[in-house]
Amino acid sequence: MILGAGESRRMRGRDKLLEAVDGVPQIRRIACAALKTNWPVIVALPAKANLRAAALDALDVSVASVAKPQEGLAISLRAGLRAHLALAAQENRTAGGLMIIPADMPELEQDDLEAVMSSYRRNPQLIHCGSSGDTRGHPVILPPRLFQALAMLRGDRGAAEILRNNPEDICLTPLLGMHALRDLDTPEEWASWRAQR
Protein backbone atom coordinates (compact mmCIF):
# COMPACT_ATOMS: atom_id res chain seq x y z
CA MET A 1 0.00 0.00 0.00
CA ILE A 2 1.40 3.36 -1.08
CA LEU A 3 0.40 6.29 1.12
CA GLY A 4 -0.40 9.01 -1.39
CA ALA A 5 -3.20 10.96 0.30
CA GLY A 6 -1.13 13.54 2.19
CA GLU A 7 -1.82 17.20 1.61
CA SER A 8 1.75 18.42 0.88
CA ARG A 9 1.14 21.42 3.16
CA ARG A 10 4.84 22.24 3.56
CA MET A 11 5.38 22.45 -0.22
CA ARG A 12 3.76 25.91 -0.41
CA GLY A 13 1.48 25.19 -3.35
CA ARG A 14 3.51 22.45 -5.03
CA ASP A 15 2.66 18.75 -4.78
CA LYS A 16 5.65 16.73 -3.61
CA LEU A 17 4.19 13.55 -5.08
CA LEU A 18 4.22 15.11 -8.54
CA GLU A 19 7.84 16.24 -8.27
CA ALA A 20 9.88 14.69 -11.08
CA VAL A 21 12.47 12.03 -10.24
CA ASP A 22 14.42 10.96 -13.31
CA GLY A 23 11.72 12.59 -15.41
CA VAL A 24 8.82 10.71 -13.78
CA PRO A 25 6.36 12.02 -11.16
CA GLN A 26 7.40 10.58 -7.80
CA ILE A 27 4.06 8.90 -7.15
CA ARG A 28 4.26 7.09 -10.50
CA ARG A 29 7.90 6.16 -9.93
CA ILE A 30 7.20 4.49 -6.58
CA ALA A 31 4.08 2.77 -7.95
CA CYS A 32 6.12 1.33 -10.83
CA ALA A 33 8.77 0.08 -8.40
CA ALA A 34 6.06 -1.61 -6.33
CA LEU A 35 4.41 -3.18 -9.37
CA LYS A 36 7.72 -4.76 -10.42
CA THR A 37 7.64 -6.87 -7.23
CA ASN A 38 4.54 -8.67 -8.57
CA TRP A 39 2.60 -7.99 -5.36
CA PRO A 40 -0.81 -6.31 -5.78
CA VAL A 41 -0.43 -2.55 -5.38
CA ILE A 42 -2.92 -0.27 -3.63
CA VAL A 43 -2.49 3.52 -3.65
CA ALA A 44 -4.33 5.61 -1.07
CA LEU A 45 -5.33 8.88 -2.74
CA PRO A 46 -7.50 11.84 -1.73
CA ALA A 47 -10.95 11.61 -3.27
CA LYS A 48 -10.21 14.76 -5.32
CA ALA A 49 -6.60 13.92 -6.31
CA ASN A 50 -7.15 14.27 -10.05
CA LEU A 51 -3.52 15.11 -10.88
CA ARG A 52 -2.13 12.31 -8.72
CA ALA A 53 -4.60 9.85 -10.23
CA ALA A 54 -3.63 11.06 -13.71
CA ALA A 55 0.04 10.43 -12.87
CA LEU A 56 -0.90 6.77 -12.29
CA ASP A 57 -2.73 6.47 -15.62
CA ALA A 58 -2.55 3.01 -17.22
CA LEU A 59 -0.84 1.42 -14.19
CA ASP A 60 -2.40 -1.74 -12.76
CA VAL A 61 -2.98 -0.36 -9.28
CA SER A 62 -6.04 -0.32 -7.04
CA VAL A 63 -6.98 3.10 -5.66
CA ALA A 64 -8.19 3.42 -2.07
CA SER A 65 -10.09 6.71 -1.99
CA VAL A 66 -9.61 8.80 1.17
CA ALA A 67 -12.52 11.21 1.62
CA LYS A 68 -11.01 13.24 4.49
CA PRO A 69 -7.19 13.06 4.35
CA GLN A 70 -7.01 16.07 6.68
CA GLU A 71 -7.98 13.69 9.51
CA GLY A 72 -4.42 12.35 9.43
CA LEU A 73 -2.37 9.38 8.34
CA ALA A 74 -4.49 6.77 10.08
CA ILE A 75 -7.47 7.28 7.78
CA SER A 76 -5.27 6.41 4.79
CA LEU A 77 -3.96 3.31 6.53
CA ARG A 78 -7.48 2.16 7.29
CA ALA A 79 -8.61 2.78 3.71
CA GLY A 80 -5.63 0.84 2.38
CA LEU A 81 -6.25 -2.03 4.78
CA ARG A 82 -9.89 -2.27 3.68
CA ALA A 83 -8.78 -2.38 0.05
CA HIS A 84 -6.16 -5.04 0.88
CA LEU A 85 -8.74 -7.26 2.58
CA ALA A 86 -11.31 -6.68 -0.16
CA LEU A 87 -8.81 -7.62 -2.86
CA ALA A 88 -7.95 -10.86 -1.06
CA ALA A 89 -11.65 -11.71 -0.66
CA GLN A 90 -12.28 -10.96 -4.32
CA GLU A 91 -9.48 -13.34 -5.28
CA ASN A 92 -10.71 -15.95 -2.78
CA ARG A 93 -7.48 -16.05 -0.81
CA THR A 94 -6.30 -15.25 2.69
CA ALA A 95 -4.84 -11.75 3.01
CA GLY A 96 -1.10 -11.82 3.61
CA GLY A 97 1.18 -9.18 5.10
CA LEU A 98 0.60 -5.55 4.18
CA MET A 99 3.59 -3.50 3.06
CA ILE A 100 3.26 0.22 3.84
CA ILE A 101 5.21 2.57 1.56
CA PRO A 102 5.20 6.36 1.99
CA ALA A 103 4.85 7.95 -1.45
CA ASP A 104 7.34 10.76 -0.73
CA MET A 105 10.54 8.68 -0.49
CA PRO A 106 12.42 9.25 -3.77
CA GLU A 107 15.26 6.81 -3.11
CA LEU A 108 13.20 3.68 -2.46
CA GLU A 109 13.63 1.22 -5.33
CA GLN A 110 12.27 -2.17 -6.35
CA ASP A 111 15.33 -3.87 -4.82
CA ASP A 112 14.61 -2.23 -1.45
CA LEU A 113 11.01 -3.41 -1.46
CA GLU A 114 12.02 -6.92 -2.44
CA ALA A 115 14.67 -7.08 0.30
CA VAL A 116 12.05 -6.40 2.97
CA MET A 117 9.64 -8.84 1.28
CA SER A 118 12.30 -11.54 1.38
CA SER A 119 12.77 -10.96 5.09
CA TYR A 120 9.01 -11.18 5.61
CA ARG A 121 8.78 -14.49 3.76
CA ARG A 122 11.37 -16.01 6.11
CA ASN A 123 9.31 -15.06 9.19
CA PRO A 124 5.79 -13.84 8.37
CA GLN A 125 4.81 -13.45 12.04
CA LEU A 126 7.17 -10.52 12.60
CA ILE A 127 7.01 -6.83 11.64
CA HIS A 128 9.59 -6.13 8.93
CA CYS A 129 11.09 -2.69 8.35
CA GLY A 130 13.70 -1.26 6.04
CA SER A 131 16.48 0.44 7.98
CA SER A 132 19.56 2.59 7.71
CA GLY A 133 22.01 1.07 10.16
CA ASP A 134 20.08 0.57 13.39
CA THR A 135 17.51 3.26 12.53
CA ARG A 136 14.10 1.89 11.61
CA GLY A 137 12.52 3.26 8.45
CA HIS A 138 10.37 2.17 5.50
CA PRO A 139 8.93 0.20 3.93
CA VAL A 140 7.15 -1.63 6.75
CA ILE A 141 5.33 -4.96 6.43
CA LEU A 142 2.70 -5.71 9.06
CA PRO A 143 1.59 -9.34 9.49
CA PRO A 144 -2.14 -10.13 9.44
CA ARG A 145 -2.25 -10.64 13.23
CA LEU A 146 -1.79 -6.84 13.57
CA PHE A 147 -4.51 -5.82 11.13
CA GLN A 148 -7.03 -5.28 13.94
CA ALA A 149 -4.63 -2.85 15.63
CA LEU A 150 -4.15 -1.09 12.29
CA ALA A 151 -7.91 -0.76 11.85
CA MET A 152 -8.15 0.92 15.27
CA LEU A 153 -5.66 3.71 14.53
CA ARG A 154 -6.90 7.29 14.56
CA GLY A 155 -5.37 10.70 13.93
CA ASP A 156 -1.94 11.40 12.44
CA ARG A 157 0.07 8.79 14.33
CA GLY A 158 0.44 6.24 11.55
CA ALA A 159 1.59 2.72 12.35
CA ALA A 160 4.40 3.92 14.64
CA GLU A 161 2.16 3.20 17.63
CA ILE A 162 1.88 -0.45 16.61
CA LEU A 163 5.64 -0.72 16.30
CA ARG A 164 6.15 0.90 19.72
CA ASN A 165 3.76 -1.65 21.23
CA ASN A 166 5.58 -4.60 19.65
CA PRO A 167 9.32 -3.81 19.95
CA GLU A 168 10.37 -7.45 20.28
CA ASP A 169 8.63 -8.37 17.03
CA ILE A 170 10.49 -5.95 14.74
CA CYS A 171 12.99 -7.28 12.21
CA LEU A 172 15.19 -4.71 10.44
CA THR A 173 16.38 -5.09 6.86
CA PRO A 174 19.32 -2.77 6.08
CA LEU A 175 18.85 -0.87 2.83
CA LEU A 176 21.37 1.06 0.77
CA GLY A 177 22.40 4.48 2.07
CA MET A 178 19.44 6.55 3.25
CA HIS A 179 16.86 4.74 1.12
CA ALA A 180 14.84 3.68 4.18
CA LEU A 181 14.76 7.14 5.76
CA ARG A 182 14.87 9.94 3.20
CA ASP A 183 11.56 11.66 2.64
CA LEU A 184 11.26 15.14 1.17
CA ASP A 185 8.59 17.52 2.47
CA THR A 186 9.62 21.05 1.41
CA PRO A 187 10.84 22.74 -1.80
CA GLU A 188 14.18 23.33 -0.09
CA GLU A 189 14.59 19.63 0.72
CA TRP A 190 13.82 18.70 -2.86
CA ALA A 191 16.29 21.28 -4.18
CA SER A 192 19.03 20.12 -1.80
CA TRP A 193 18.48 16.47 -2.67
CA ARG A 194 18.64 17.18 -6.38
CA ALA A 195 21.83 19.20 -5.94
CA GLN A 196 23.45 16.33 -4.02
CA ARG A 197 22.52 13.85 -6.71
Side-chain angles (χ1 to χ4, degrees):
M1 172 180 57
I2 297 171
L3 297 172
E7 296 183 286
S8 285
R9 291 187 203 127
R10 296 171 61 194
M11 287 294 290
R12 301 194 295 278
R14 287 161 53 181
D15 187 339
K16 63 182 177 180
L17 302 189
L18 299 179
E19 291 288 315
V21 178
D22 298 326
V24 179
Q26 166 59 16
I27 193 168
R28 186 178 184 90
R29 188 200 69 81
I30 195 66
C32 288
L35 285 167
K36 289 176 184 175
T37 68
N38 292 318
W39 276 26
V41 177
I42 297 161
V43 185
L45 290 178
K48 298 180 180 179
N50 294 333
L51 293 177
R52 290 181 186 178
L56 298 171
D57 187 49
L59 296 184
D60 186 20
V61 300
S62 300
V63 173
S65 182
V66 180
K68 297 180 179 179
Q70 66 274 16
E71 290 185 11
L73 189 54
I75 195 171
S76 293
L77 290 167
R78 297 196 309 272
L81 175 61
R82 286 194 300 272
H84 178 63
L85 296 174
L87 186 59
Q90 179 183 332
E91 296 175 354
N92 198 28
R93 59 176 173 81
T94 301
L98 178 62
M99 174 178 276
I100 299 167
I101 309 169
D104 61 352
M105 301 186 72
E107 294 181 3
L108 278 180
E109 303 283 353
Q110 175 189 354
D111 288 349
D112 301 317
L113 308 184
E114 289 183 339
V116 180
M117 290 174 175
S118 179
S119 181
Y120 169 77
R121 289 187 187 101
R122 288 192 295 272
N123 197 332
Q125 293 302 310
L126 296 181
I127 301 166
H128 294 267
C129 306
S131 68
S132 179
D134 293 331
T135 304
R136 187 182 73 229
H138 287 90
V140 173
I141 300 181
L142 295 180
R145 65 183 178 83
L146 293 175
F147 287 174
Q148 184 173 359
L150 188 62
M152 298 293 290
L153 291 178
R154 296 294 183 273
D156 204 31
R157 295 172 294 180
E161 178 180 336
I162 295 174
L163 274 62
R164 280 195 301 271
N165 292 338
N166 296 273
E168 302 302 317
D169 293 338
I170 296 173
C171 180
L172 300 182
T173 301
L175 304 182
L176 184 66
M178 291 288 289
H179 288 202
L181 301 179
R182 195 181 312 280
D183 61 351
L184 303 175
D185 294 321
T186 68
E188 292 78 13
E189 289 174 355
W190 277 96
S192 175
W193 178 75
R194 289 187 173 114
Q196 291 171 18
R197 290 185 87 201

